[in-house]
Amino acid sequence: FIATAMNAAGISPDSNGFTDSAAARILSGYADAGSIPVGMRTTLAFALEKGYFAGKTGADGRLYLRPDEDISRAAAVLLSNIIGYARNTAVNAFADADTIPTWSVPALSSLKALGLLCSPNNTAAPAGRMTRGETAVWLEKTMRLMGR
């Protein structure tokens, strides 16, 4: 998802002079870095360096990227970070506001305000998993927003 979202926003580690050695240095701090496909390592490391996401701490206290994990709607923070628009804090924009993790409120609210977030019944459904269709719509709308 991250690589596709960065591509939709026109962001490339190659065009920013990001190197494979920098990627290896950044990824060395993640316990599951070896499970990242070789072709995605530089892109994910670049996204980490830019602060688009940070990975997750496992029960063992180590950092993980979890590349095969499904993306929740709350993780829309990734898309919002990539396009640089996580400013809106209107949590009451959703009927299920009490279920939204605090860290994702600006992203979800901003994406809704931009028209990028489809919210059935005015809910954010933050724990819901993104479908391929939702992901495609988000990325297509992002590309239009970014003038691509």
Side-chain angles (χ1 to χ4, degrees), residues 28-127:
S28 69
Y30 292 85
D32 59 348
S35 67
I36 306 296
V38 173
M40 303 303 293
R41 290 179 183 169
T42 301
T43 300
L44 288 178
F46 183 76
L48 286 163
E49 182 177 81
K50 290 294 187 183
Y52 299 154
F53 78 114
K56 295 181 181 180
T57 303
D60 60 2
R62 298 171 65 193
L63 283 172
Y64 290 86
L65 294 169
R66 298 188 176 142
D68 297 325
E69 190 173 89
D70 289 340
I71 302 289
S72 71
R73 290 173 58 87
V77 71
L78 297 173
L79 182 58
S80 189
N81 286 345
I82 288 168
I83 65 173
Y85 196 86
R87 299 179 189 101
N88 194 333
T89 58
V91 70
N92 61 354
F94 300 100
D96 59 348
D98 59 329
T99 67
I100 302 172
T102 304
W103 57 264
S104 69
V105 168
L108 289 171
S109 299
S110 296
L111 292 174
K112 182 178 180 184
L114 288 168
L116 297 177
L117 177 63
C118 303
S119 55
N121 304 318
N122 197 37
T123 61

